[in-house]
Every structure is written in structure tokens, then in C-alpha cells.
Coordinates of all heavy atoms in Angstrom, one line a residue:
M78 N 0.8 -1.2 0.0 CA 0.0 0.0 0.0 C 0.9 1.2 0.1 O 0.5 2.2 -0.6 CB -0.9 0.0 1.2 CG -2.0 1.0 1.2 SD -3.2 0.7 -0.1 CE -4.5 1.5 0.5
R79 N 2.0 1.2 0.6 CA 2.8 2.4 0.7 C 3.4 2.8 -0.6 O 3.4 4.0 -1.0 CB 4.0 2.1 1.7 CG 5.0 3.3 1.8 CD 6.0 3.0 2.9 NE 5.6 3.7 4.0 CZ 6.2 3.8 5.1 NH1 7.4 3.0 5.2 NH2 5.9 4.5 6.1
G80 N 3.7 1.8 -1.4 CA 4.2 2.1 -2.8 C 3.1 2.8 -3.7 O 3.4 3.7 -4.5
T81 N 1.9 2.3 -3.5 CA 0.8 2.9 -4.2 C 0.6 4.3 -3.9 O 0.3 5.2 -4.7 CB -0.5 2.1 -4.0 OG1 -0.3 0.7 -4.2 CG2 -1.6 2.6 -4.8
R82 N 0.8 4.7 -2.6 CA 0.7 6.2 -2.2 C 1.6 7.0 -2.9 O 1.4 8.1 -3.4 CB 0.8 6.2 -0.7 CG -0.4 5.7 0.1 CD -0.2 5.9 1.6 NE -1.3 5.2 2.3 CZ -1.1 4.7 3.5 NH1 0.0 4.9 4.1 NH2 -2.2 4.2 4.0
W83 N 2.8 6.5 -3.0 CA 3.9 7.3 -3.6 C 3.6 7.5 -5.1 O 4.0 8.5 -5.6 CB 5.3 6.7 -3.4 CG 5.8 7.0 -2.0 CD1 5.8 6.1 -1.0 CD2 6.4 8.2 -1.6 NE1 6.4 6.8 0.1 CE2 6.7 8.1 -0.2 CE3 6.6 9.4 -2.2 CZ2 7.2 9.1 0.5 CZ3 7.1 10.4 -1.5 CH2 7.4 10.3 -0.2
I84 N 3.1 6.4 -5.8 CA 2.8 6.5 -7.2 C 1.7 7.6 -7.4 O 1.8 8.4 -8.3 CB 2.3 5.1 -7.7 CG1 3.5 4.1 -7.8 CG2 1.8 5.3 -9.1 CD1 3.2 2.7 -8.1
A85 N 0.7 7.5 -6.5 CA -0.4 8.5 -6.7 C 0.1 9.9 -6.5 O -0.2 10.9 -7.2 CB -1.5 8.1 -5.6
R86 N 1.0 10.1 -5.5 CA 1.5 11.4 -5.2 C 2.4 11.9 -6.3 O 2.3 13.1 -6.7 CB 2.3 11.4 -3.9 CG 1.4 11.3 -2.7 CD 2.2 11.0 -1.4 NE 1.4 10.8 -0.2 CZ 1.8 10.2 0.8 NH1 2.9 9.7 1.0 NH2 0.8 10.1 1.8
K87 N 3.3 11.0 -6.8 CA 4.1 11.5 -7.9 C 3.3 11.9 -9.1 O 3.6 12.8 -9.9 CB 5.1 10.3 -8.3 CG 6.2 10.1 -7.3 CD 7.1 9.0 -7.6 CE 8.1 8.8 -6.6 NZ 9.1 7.6 -6.8
F88 N 2.2 11.1 -9.4 CA 1.3 11.4 -10.6 C 0.7 12.7 -10.4 O 0.6 13.5 -11.4 CB 0.3 10.2 -10.7 CG -0.3 10.3 -12.0 CD1 0.4 10.1 -13.2 CD2 -1.7 10.6 -12.1 CE1 -0.3 10.2 -14.5 CE2 -2.3 10.7 -13.3 CZ -1.6 10.4 -14.5
M89 N 0.2 13.0 -9.1 CA -0.5 14.3 -8.9 C 0.5 15.4 -9.1 O 0.2 16.5 -9.6 CB -1.2 14.3 -7.6 CG -2.5 13.6 -7.5 SD -3.5 14.0 -6.1 CE -2.6 12.9 -4.9
L90 N 1.7 15.2 -8.6 CA 2.8 16.2 -8.7 C 3.1 16.5 -10.2 O 3.2 17.7 -10.6 CB 4.0 15.8 -8.0 CG 5.2 16.8 -7.9 CD1 4.8 18.1 -7.3 CD2 6.4 16.2 -7.2
F91 N 3.2 15.4 -11.0 CA 3.5 15.6 -12.4 C 2.4 16.3 -13.1 O 2.6 17.2 -13.9 CB 3.8 14.1 -13.0 CG 3.9 14.3 -14.5 CD1 5.1 14.7 -15.1 CD2 2.9 13.8 -15.4 CE1 5.2 14.7 -16.4 CE2 3.0 13.9 -16.7 CZ 4.2 14.3 -17.2
E92 N 1.2 15.9 -12.8 CA 0.0 16.6 -13.4 C 0.0 18.1 -13.0 O -0.3 19.0 -13.9 CB -1.3 15.9 -13.0 CG -1.5 14.6 -13.6 CD -2.9 14.0 -13.1 OE1 -3.0 14.0 -11.9 OE2 -3.7 13.7 -13.9
A93 N 0.1 18.4 -11.8 CA 0.1 19.8 -11.3 C 1.2 20.6 -12.1 O 1.0 21.7 -12.5 CB 0.3 19.9 -9.8
A94 N 2.4 20.0 -12.2 CA 3.5 20.7 -12.8 C 3.1 20.9 -14.3 O 3.5 21.9 -14.8 CB 4.8 19.9 -12.7
T95 N 2.6 19.9 -14.9 CA 2.2 20.0 -16.3 C 1.2 21.2 -16.5 O 1.3 22.0 -17.4 CB 1.6 18.7 -16.9 OG1 2.6 17.7 -16.6 CG2 1.3 18.8 -18.3
F96 N 0.2 21.2 -15.7 CA -0.8 22.3 -15.8 C -0.2 23.6 -15.5 O -0.6 24.7 -16.1 CB -2.1 22.0 -14.9 CG -3.0 21.1 -15.6 CD1 -3.1 19.8 -15.2 CD2 -3.8 21.5 -16.6 CE1 -4.0 18.9 -15.9 CE2 -4.8 20.7 -17.2 CZ -4.9 19.4 -16.8
A97 N 0.7 23.7 -14.5 CA 1.4 24.9 -14.2 C 2.2 25.5 -15.4 O 2.2 26.6 -15.7 CB 2.2 24.8 -12.9
V98 N 2.9 24.6 -16.0 CA 3.6 25.0 -17.3 C 2.8 25.4 -18.3 O 3.0 26.5 -19.0 CB 4.7 23.9 -17.7 CG1 5.1 24.2 -19.1 CG2 5.7 23.6 -16.7
A99 N 1.6 24.7 -18.5 CA 0.7 25.2 -19.6 C 0.1 26.6 -19.2 O -0.1 27.4 -20.1 CB -0.5 24.2 -19.7
A100 N -0.2 26.8 -17.9 CA -0.7 28.1 -17.5 C 0.3 29.2 -17.8 O -0.1 30.2 -18.3 CB -1.1 28.0 -16.0
L101 N 1.6 29.0 -17.4 CA 2.6 29.9 -17.7 C 2.7 30.2 -19.1 O 3.0 31.4 -19.6 CB 3.9 29.5 -17.1 CG 3.9 29.5 -15.5 CD1 5.2 28.9 -15.1 CD2 3.8 30.9 -14.9
T102 N 2.6 29.2 -19.9 CA 2.7 29.3 -21.4 C 1.5 30.3 -21.9 O 1.7 31.2 -22.7 CB 2.6 28.1 -22.1 OG1 3.8 27.3 -21.7 CG2 2.7 28.2 -23.6
H103 N 0.3 30.0 -21.4 CA -0.9 30.8 -21.8 C -0.9 32.1 -21.2 O -1.6 33.0 -21.8 CB -2.2 30.0 -21.4 CG -2.5 28.9 -22.4 ND1 -2.7 27.6 -22.0 CD2 -2.6 28.9 -23.8 CE1 -2.9 26.8 -23.1 NE2 -2.9 27.6 -24.1
F104 N -0.2 32.4 -20.2 CA -0.1 33.8 -19.7 C 1.1 34.5 -20.3 O 1.3 35.7 -20.2 CB 0.1 33.7 -18.2 CG -1.0 33.5 -17.4 CD1 -1.0 32.6 -16.3 CD2 -2.3 34.0 -17.7 CE1 -2.1 32.2 -15.6 CE2 -3.4 33.8 -16.9 CZ -3.3 32.8 -15.8
G105 N 1.8 33.8 -21.3 CA 2.8 34.5 -22.0 C 4.2 34.6 -21.3 O 5.0 35.4 -21.8
L106 N 4.4 33.9 -20.2 CA 5.6 34.0 -19.5 C 6.6 33.1 -19.9 O 7.8 33.3 -19.6 CB 5.2 33.7 -18.0 CG 4.2 34.7 -17.4 CD1 4.0 34.2 -15.9 CD2 4.8 36.1 -17.4
L107 N 6.3 32.0 -20.6 CA 7.4 31.0 -21.0 C 7.6 31.1 -22.6 O 8.7 31.2 -23.0 CB 6.9 29.6 -20.7 CG 6.9 29.2 -19.2 CD1 6.6 27.8 -19.2 CD2 8.3 29.5 -18.7
V108 N 6.5 31.2 -23.4 CA 6.6 31.3 -24.8 C 5.6 32.4 -25.4 O 4.5 32.4 -24.8 CB 6.3 29.9 -25.4 CG1 6.3 29.9 -26.9 CG2 7.1 28.8 -24.9
D109 N 6.2 33.2 -26.3 CA 5.3 34.2 -26.9 C 4.5 33.6 -28.0 O 4.8 32.6 -28.6 CB 6.1 35.3 -27.5 CG 6.8 36.1 -26.4 OD1 6.2 36.3 -25.3 OD2 7.8 36.8 -26.7
G110 N 3.2 34.1 -28.2 CA 2.4 33.7 -29.2 C 1.3 32.7 -28.8 O 0.5 32.3 -29.6
Y111 N 1.4 32.3 -27.6 CA 0.3 31.3 -27.2 C -0.5 31.8 -26.1 O -1.2 31.1 -25.2 CB 1.0 30.0 -26.7 CG 1.7 29.2 -27.8 CD1 3.0 29.3 -28.0 CD2 0.9 28.5 -28.6 CE1 3.6 28.7 -29.1 CE2 1.5 27.7 -29.7 CZ 2.8 27.9 -29.9 OH 3.4 27.2 -30.9
E112 N -0.6 33.1 -25.9 CA -1.3 33.8 -24.9 C -2.8 33.5 -25.0 O -3.4 33.7 -26.1 CB -1.1 35.3 -24.9 CG 0.2 35.7 -24.4 CD 1.3 35.7 -25.6 OE1 0.9 35.4 -26.7 OE2 2.5 36.0 -25.4
H113 N -3.4 33.1 -23.9 CA -4.9 32.9 -23.9 C -5.2 33.0 -22.4 O -5.0 32.1 -21.6 CB -5.3 31.5 -24.4 CG -6.8 31.4 -24.7 ND1 -7.6 30.9 -23.6 CD2 -7.5 31.7 -25.8 CE1 -8.8 30.9 -24.1 NE2 -8.8 31.3 -25.4
Q114 N -5.8 34.2 -22.0 CA -6.0 34.4 -20.6 C -7.0 33.4 -19.9 O -6.7 32.9 -18.8 CB -6.7 35.8 -20.4 CG -6.8 36.3 -19.0 CD -5.4 36.8 -18.4 OE1 -4.5 37.0 -19.1 NE2 -5.4 36.8 -17.1
H115 N -8.1 33.0 -20.6 CA -9.0 32.1 -19.9 C -8.4 30.7 -19.8 O -8.7 30.0 -18.8 CB -10.3 32.0 -20.8 CG -11.1 33.4 -20.8 ND1 -11.6 33.9 -19.7 CD2 -11.3 34.2 -21.8 CE1 -12.3 35.0 -20.0 NE2 -12.0 35.3 -21.3
A116 N -7.7 30.2 -20.8 CA -7.1 29.0 -20.6 C -6.1 29.0 -19.5 O -5.9 28.0 -18.8 CB -6.3 28.5 -21.9
G117 N -5.3 30.1 -19.3 CA -4.3 30.2 -18.2 C -4.9 30.1 -16.9 O -4.4 29.4 -16.0
I118 N -6.1 30.8 -16.8 CA -6.8 30.8 -15.5 C -7.4 29.4 -15.2 O -7.2 28.9 -14.0 CB -8.0 31.8 -15.5 CG1 -7.5 33.2 -15.5 CG2 -8.9 31.6 -14.3 CD1 -8.5 34.3 -15.8
A119 N -7.9 28.7 -16.2 CA -8.4 27.3 -15.9 C -7.3 26.4 -15.5 O -7.5 25.6 -14.6 CB -9.2 26.8 -17.2
E120 N -6.2 26.5 -16.2 CA -5.1 25.6 -15.9 C -4.5 25.9 -14.5 O -4.0 25.0 -13.9 CB -4.0 25.7 -17.0 CG -4.5 25.1 -18.3 CD -3.9 25.6 -19.6 OE1 -3.1 26.6 -19.5 OE2 -4.1 25.1 -20.6
T121 N -4.5 27.1 -14.2 CA -4.0 27.5 -12.8 C -4.9 26.9 -11.7 O -4.5 26.3 -10.7 CB -4.0 29.0 -12.7 OG1 -3.1 29.6 -13.6 CG2 -3.5 29.4 -11.3
V122 N -6.2 27.0 -12.0 CA -7.2 26.4 -10.9 C -7.0 24.9 -10.9 O -7.0 24.3 -9.7 CB -8.6 26.8 -11.3 CG1 -9.6 26.0 -10.5 CG2 -8.9 28.3 -11.1
I123 N -6.8 24.2 -12.0 CA -6.6 22.9 -12.0 C -5.3 22.4 -11.3 O -5.3 21.5 -10.5 CB -6.7 22.2 -13.4 CG1 -8.0 22.4 -14.1 CG2 -6.2 20.8 -13.5 CD1 -8.0 22.1 -15.5
A124 N -4.3 23.2 -11.5 CA -3.0 22.9 -10.8 C -3.2 23.2 -9.3 O -2.6 22.4 -8.6 CB -1.9 23.8 -11.4
I125 N -3.9 24.1 -8.9 CA -4.0 24.4 -7.4 C -4.8 23.2 -6.8 O -4.5 22.8 -5.7 CB -4.8 25.7 -7.2 CG1 -3.8 26.9 -7.6 CG2 -5.3 25.8 -5.8 CD1 -4.4 28.2 -7.6
V126 N -5.8 22.7 -7.5 CA -6.6 21.6 -6.9 C -5.8 20.4 -6.9 O -5.9 19.6 -5.9 CB -7.9 21.4 -7.8 CG1 -8.6 20.0 -7.5 CG2 -8.9 22.5 -7.7
L127 N -4.9 20.1 -7.9 CA -4.1 18.9 -7.8 C -3.0 19.1 -6.7 O -2.8 18.1 -6.0 CB -3.4 18.8 -9.2 CG -4.2 18.2 -10.3 CD1 -3.5 18.4 -11.6 CD2 -4.5 16.8 -10.0
V128 N -2.5 20.3 -6.5 CA -1.6 20.5 -5.3 C -2.3 20.3 -4.0 O -1.8 19.7 -3.0 CB -0.9 21.9 -5.4 CG1 -0.1 22.2 -4.1 CG2 0.0 21.9 -6.6
A129 N -3.6 20.8 -3.9 CA -4.4 20.5 -2.7 C -4.6 19.1 -2.5 O -4.5 18.6 -1.3 CB -5.7 21.3 -2.8
G130 N -4.9 18.3 -3.6 CA -5.0 16.8 -3.4 C -3.8 16.2 -2.9 O -3.7 15.3 -2.0
L131 N -2.6 16.7 -3.5 CA -1.4 16.2 -3.0 C -1.2 16.5 -1.6 O -0.7 15.6 -0.8 CB -0.3 16.8 -3.9 CG 1.2 16.4 -3.6 CD1 1.4 14.8 -3.8 CD2 2.2 17.1 -4.4
G132 N -1.4 17.7 -1.2 CA -1.3 18.1 0.2 C -2.2 17.2 1.2 O -1.8 16.8 2.3
L133 N -3.4 16.9 0.7 CA -4.3 16.1 1.5 C -3.7 14.7 1.7 O -3.9 14.1 2.7 CB -5.8 16.1 0.9 CG -6.6 17.3 1.2 CD1 -7.9 17.3 0.5 CD2 -6.9 17.4 2.7
S134 N -3.1 14.2 0.6 CA -2.6 12.9 0.7 C -1.4 12.8 1.7 O -1.2 11.7 2.2 CB -2.0 12.4 -0.7 OG -0.9 13.0 -1.1
W135 N -0.7 13.9 1.9 CA 0.3 13.9 2.9 C -0.3 14.0 4.3 O 0.2 13.4 5.2 CB 1.3 15.0 2.6 CG 2.3 14.7 1.6 CD1 2.2 15.1 0.2 CD2 3.5 14.0 1.7 NE1 3.2 14.6 -0.4 CE2 4.0 13.9 0.4 CE3 4.0 13.3 2.8 CZ2 5.2 13.2 0.2 CZ3 5.3 12.6 2.5 CH2 5.8 12.5 1.2
A136 N -1.3 14.9 4.5 CA -1.8 15.2 5.7 C -2.7 14.0 6.2 O -2.7 13.7 7.4 CB -2.8 16.4 5.6
L137 N -3.4 13.3 5.3 CA -4.2 12.2 5.6 C -3.8 11.0 4.8 O -4.5 10.6 3.8 CB -5.7 12.6 5.4 CG -6.2 13.8 6.1 CD1 -7.6 14.2 5.6 CD2 -6.4 13.5 7.6
P138 N -2.7 10.3 5.2 CA -2.2 9.2 4.3 C -3.2 8.1 4.1 O -3.2 7.5 3.0 CB -1.0 8.7 5.1 CG -0.7 9.7 6.1 CD -1.9 10.5 6.3
A139 N -4.1 7.9 5.0 CA -5.1 6.8 4.8 C -6.2 7.2 3.7 O -6.9 6.4 3.2 CB -5.9 6.5 6.1
R140 N -6.2 8.5 3.4 CA -7.2 9.0 2.4 C -6.5 9.5 1.1 O -7.0 10.2 0.3 CB -7.9 10.3 2.9 CG -8.7 10.0 4.1 CD -10.0 9.2 3.8 NE -10.7 9.1 5.0 CZ -11.9 8.4 5.1 NH1 -12.2 7.8 4.0 NH2 -12.6 8.2 6.2
T141 N -5.3 8.9 0.9 CA -4.6 9.2 -0.4 C -5.4 8.9 -1.7 O -5.5 9.7 -2.6 CB -3.2 8.5 -0.4 OG1 -2.4 8.9 0.7 CG2 -2.5 8.8 -1.7
R142 N -6.1 7.7 -1.6 CA -6.8 7.3 -2.8 C -8.0 8.4 -3.1 O -8.1 8.8 -4.2 CB -7.3 5.9 -2.6 CG -8.1 5.4 -3.8 CD -8.5 4.0 -3.6 NE -9.1 3.5 -4.9 CZ -10.4 3.5 -5.1 NH1 -11.2 4.1 -4.2 NH2 -10.9 3.0 -6.2
Q143 N -8.7 8.6 -2.0 CA -9.8 9.6 -2.2 C -9.4 10.9 -2.6 O -10.0 11.6 -3.4 CB -10.6 9.6 -0.9 CG -11.4 8.4 -0.6 CD -10.5 7.4 0.3 OE1 -9.3 7.5 0.4 NE2 -11.2 6.4 0.9
A144 N -8.2 11.4 -2.0 CA -7.7 12.7 -2.4 C -7.3 12.7 -3.8 O -7.6 13.7 -4.7 CB -6.6 13.2 -1.4
G145 N -6.7 11.7 -4.3 CA -6.2 11.6 -5.7 C -7.3 11.5 -6.7 O -7.3 12.2 -7.7
V146 N -8.3 10.6 -6.3 CA -9.5 10.5 -7.3 C -10.3 11.8 -7.4 O -10.7 12.2 -8.4 CB -10.4 9.4 -6.8 CG1 -11.7 9.4 -7.5 CG2 -9.7 8.1 -7.0
A147 N -10.4 12.5 -6.2 CA -11.2 13.7 -6.2 C -10.4 14.9 -7.0 O -11.0 15.5 -7.9 CB -11.4 14.2 -4.8
A148 N -9.1 15.0 -6.8 CA -8.3 16.1 -7.5 C -8.1 15.7 -8.9 O -8.4 16.6 -9.8 CB -7.0 16.2 -6.9
Q149 N -8.0 14.4 -9.3 CA -7.8 14.1 -10.8 C -9.2 14.1 -11.4 O -9.3 14.5 -12.6 CB -7.1 12.8 -10.9 CG -5.7 12.8 -10.4 CD -5.0 11.5 -10.4 OE1 -5.7 10.5 -10.6 NE2 -3.7 11.5 -10.2
G150 N -10.2 13.8 -10.7 CA -11.5 13.8 -11.2 C -11.9 15.3 -11.6 O -12.5 15.6 -12.6
F151 N -11.6 16.2 -10.7 CA -11.8 17.6 -11.0 C -11.1 18.0 -12.2 O -11.6 18.8 -13.1 CB -11.5 18.5 -9.8 CG -11.6 19.9 -10.1 CD1 -12.8 20.6 -10.0 CD2 -10.5 20.7 -10.5 CE1 -13.0 21.9 -10.2 CE2 -10.6 22.0 -10.7 CZ -11.8 22.7 -10.5
A152 N -9.8 17.7 -12.3 CA -9.0 18.1 -13.5 C -9.5 17.6 -14.7 O -9.6 18.2 -15.7 CB -7.5 17.6 -13.2
L153 N -9.9 16.3 -14.7 CA -10.5 15.7 -16.0 C -11.8 16.4 -16.3 O -12.0 16.8 -17.4 CB -10.8 14.2 -15.7 CG -11.4 13.4 -16.8 CD1 -10.5 13.5 -18.1 CD2 -11.8 12.1 -16.4
A154 N -12.7 16.6 -15.3 CA -14.0 17.3 -15.6 C -13.8 18.7 -16.1 O -14.5 19.1 -17.1 CB -14.9 17.2 -14.4
R155 N -12.9 19.4 -15.5 CA -12.8 20.8 -15.9 C -12.1 20.9 -17.3 O -12.5 21.7 -18.1 CB -11.8 21.5 -14.9 CG -11.6 23.0 -15.1 CD -12.9 23.7 -15.2 NE -12.6 25.1 -15.5 CZ -13.0 25.7 -16.6 NH1 -13.6 25.0 -17.5 NH2 -12.8 26.9 -16.8
N156 N -11.2 20.0 -17.6 CA -10.5 20.1 -18.8 C -11.5 19.6 -19.9 O -11.5 20.2 -21.0 CB -9.3 19.2 -18.9 CG -8.3 19.6 -19.9 OD1 -8.3 20.8 -20.3 ND2 -7.5 18.7 -20.4
A157 N -12.3 18.6 -19.7 CA -13.3 18.1 -20.6 C -14.3 19.1 -20.9 O -14.7 19.4 -22.1 CB -14.0 16.8 -20.2
R158 N -14.8 19.9 -19.9 CA -15.7 20.9 -20.0 C -15.3 22.1 -21.0 O -15.9 22.6 -21.8 CB -16.2 21.5 -18.7 CG -17.2 22.6 -18.8 CD -17.3 23.5 -17.6 NE -18.1 24.6 -17.7 CZ -17.6 25.7 -18.4 NH1 -16.5 25.8 -19.0 NH2 -18.4 26.8 -18.6
R159 N -14.0 22.4 -20.8 CA -13.3 23.5 -21.5 C -13.3 22.9 -23.1 O -13.6 23.8 -23.9 CB -11.9 23.8 -21.0 CG -11.3 24.9 -21.7 CD -10.0 25.3 -21.0 NE -9.1 24.1 -21.0 CZ -7.9 24.1 -21.6 NH1 -7.4 25.2 -22.1 NH2 -7.1 23.0 -21.5
R160 N -12.9 21.7 -23.3 CA -12.9 21.2 -24.6 C -14.3 21.3 -25.3 O -14.3 21.7 -26.4 CB -12.3 19.9 -24.7 CG -10.8 19.8 -24.3 CD -10.3 18.4 -24.2 NE -8.9 18.4 -23.7 CZ -7.8 18.2 -24.5 NH1 -8.0 18.1 -25.8 NH2 -6.7 18.2 -24.0
V161 N -15.2 20.8 -24.6 CA -16.6 20.8 -25.2 C -17.0 22.3 -25.5 O -17.6 22.5 -26.6 CB -17.6 20.1 -24.2 CG1 -19.0 20.4 -24.7 CG2 -17.3 18.7 -24.2
H162 N -16.7 23.2 -24.6 CA -17.1 24.6 -24.8 C -16.4 25.1 -26.1 O -17.1 25.8 -26.9 CB -16.7 25.5 -23.6 CG -16.9 26.9 -23.8 ND1 -18.1 27.5 -23.8 CD2 -16.0 27.9 -24.0 CE1 -17.9 28.8 -24.0 NE2 -16.7 29.1 -24.1
H163 N -15.1 24.9 -26.3 CA -14.4 25.4 -27.4 C -14.9 24.8 -28.7 O -14.9 25.5 -29.7 CB -12.9 25.2 -27.2 CG -12.4 26.2 -26.3 ND1 -12.1 27.5 -26.6 CD2 -12.0 26.1 -25.0 CE1 -11.6 28.1 -25.6 NE2 -11.5 27.3 -24.6
R164 N -15.2 23.5 -28.7 CA -15.8 22.9 -29.9 C -17.1 23.5 -30.3 O -17.5 23.6 -31.4 CB -15.9 21.4 -29.7 CG -14.4 20.7 -29.7 CD -14.6 19.2 -29.8 NE -13.2 18.7 -29.8 CZ -12.9 17.7 -29.1 NH1 -13.8 17.0 -28.4 NH2 -11.7 17.2 -29.1
R165 N -17.9 23.7 -29.3 CA -19.3 24.2 -29.6 C -19.2 25.6 -30.2 O -20.0 25.9 -31.0 CB -20.0 24.4 -28.2 CG -21.4 24.8 -28.4 CD -22.2 24.9 -27.1 NE -22.2 23.6 -26.5 CZ -22.4 23.4 -25.1 NH1 -22.4 24.4 -24.3 NH2 -22.3 22.2 -24.6
W166 N -18.2 26.4 -29.9 CA -18.1 27.8 -30.3 C -17.1 27.9 -31.5 O -16.7 29.0 -31.9 CB -17.7 28.8 -29.2 CG -18.9 28.7 -28.2 CD1 -18.9 28.2 -27.0 CD2 -20.1 29.4 -28.4 NE1 -20.0 28.3 -26.4 CE2 -20.9 29.1 -27.3 CE3 -20.8 30.1 -29.4 CZ2 -22.1 29.6 -27.0 CZ3 -22.1 30.6 -29.2 CH2 -22.7 30.2 -28.0
G167 N -16.6 26.7 -32.0 CA -15.8 26.8 -33.3 C -14.4 27.0 -33.0 O -13.7 27.4 -34.0
R168 N -13.9 26.9 -31.8 CA -12.4 27.0 -31.5 C -11.9 25.7 -31.2 O -12.5 24.8 -30.8 CB -12.2 28.0 -30.4 CG -12.6 29.5 -30.8 CD -12.5 30.3 -29.7 NE -13.6 30.2 -28.8 CZ -13.8 30.9 -27.5 NH1 -12.9 31.7 -27.2 NH2 -14.8 30.8 -26.9
S169 N -10.6 25.6 -31.3 CA -9.9 24.4 -31.0 C -9.9 24.2 -29.5 O -10.1 25.1 -28.7 CB -8.5 24.3 -31.5 OG -7.6 25.1 -30.7
A170 N -9.5 23.0 -29.1 CA -9.5 22.7 -27.6 C -8.4 23.5 -26.9 O -8.5 23.5 -25.6 CB -9.4 21.2 -27.4
Y171 N -7.5 23.9 -27.5 CA -6.3 24.6 -26.9 C -6.3 26.1 -27.0 O -5.4 26.7 -26.7 CB -5.1 24.0 -27.5 CG -5.0 22.6 -27.3 CD1 -5.3 21.6 -28.4 CD2 -4.7 22.0 -26.0 CE1 -5.3 20.2 -28.1 CE2 -4.7 20.6 -25.8 CZ -5.0 19.8 -26.9 OH -5.0 18.5 -26.7
G172 N -7.5 26.7 -27.3 CA -7.7 28.1 -27.3 C -7.1 28.8 -28.5 O -7.1 30.0 -28.5
A173 N -6.7 28.2 -29.5 CA -6.2 28.8 -30.7 C -7.2 29.2 -31.6 O -8.3 28.7 -31.6 CB -5.1 27.8 -31.5

């Protein structure tokens, strides 16, 4: 069980870092030409929720699975909602 907790924590950390890099890119801080304010805000919120899930997994080790499922479920649902919204209005899923 201990190894599973570490895998879940590492995965949440990787996801949070990925969304943070995407947010910085969409805010124009890493790469020029990909600025998209709304996408940057959404990715920041997702990264914060993933970090909160990671923190909960440390604070309540017995609840690592629930914290991971909740944080990753939020990330998936939020990202899927954004993609559906952009397709409905004729834009790509990545804000371009």
C-alpha cells in the first residue's frame, strides 16, 4: 500500500507541474504567441486543486486514494468541459 501512495503522489505532482507550465505558457511567461487568458486561469485552478489533493494525501495518508481521485476527477472534468465549450463555439480545444 505504501508504494501505491507514492505512485499516486508522484502522478499528482507531475499533473500539477504540467498544468502549471501550460498556464505559464498561456499567460505568455514562457513562450510568446500562445497567450490565452481564460485557458491560463483554468489551468491555474486545475494545478491548485491537484496540489491541494497532493497536500491532503500527505496530511491524511489513509485518504490518499480519495484525495487523488477527487483532485484528478476535478482536473478531468474541468478540462473536458473546456474542450466541449471550445468545440461548440468553433475554436480548437487549446484556445487557438
Side-chain angles (χ1 to χ4, degrees):
M78 190 67 152
R79 180 173 256 183
T81 306
R82 288 182 187 151
W83 281 104
I84 291 170
R86 289 173 181 156
K87 287 178 183 178
F88 192 67
M89 281 192 285
L90 180 62
F91 174 75
E92 286 180 304
T95 302
F96 277 104
V98 168
L101 292 173
T102 300
H103 281 125
F104 287 132
L106 298 174
L107 293 180
V108 180
D109 290 332
Y111 294 98
E112 291 84 1
H113 191 275
Q114 189 75 19
H115 295 293
I118 292 169
E120 290 155 354
T121 300
V122 170
I123 292 170
I125 290 170
V126 170
L127 287 165
V128 169
L131 180 62
L133 282 173
S134 78
W135 281 99
L137 304 168
R140 300 283 185 187
T141 298
R142 183 175 186 270
Q143 290 88 346
V146 168
Q149 292 174 350
F151 175 84
L153 176 65
R155 181 63 182 107
N156 203 28
R158 183 200 165 282
R159 185 174 59 121
R160 289 173 188 260
V161 168
H162 173 77
H163 283 280
R164 285 192 185 137
R165 182 179 301 154
W166 297 103
R168 291 180 276 180
S169 76
Y171 301 101

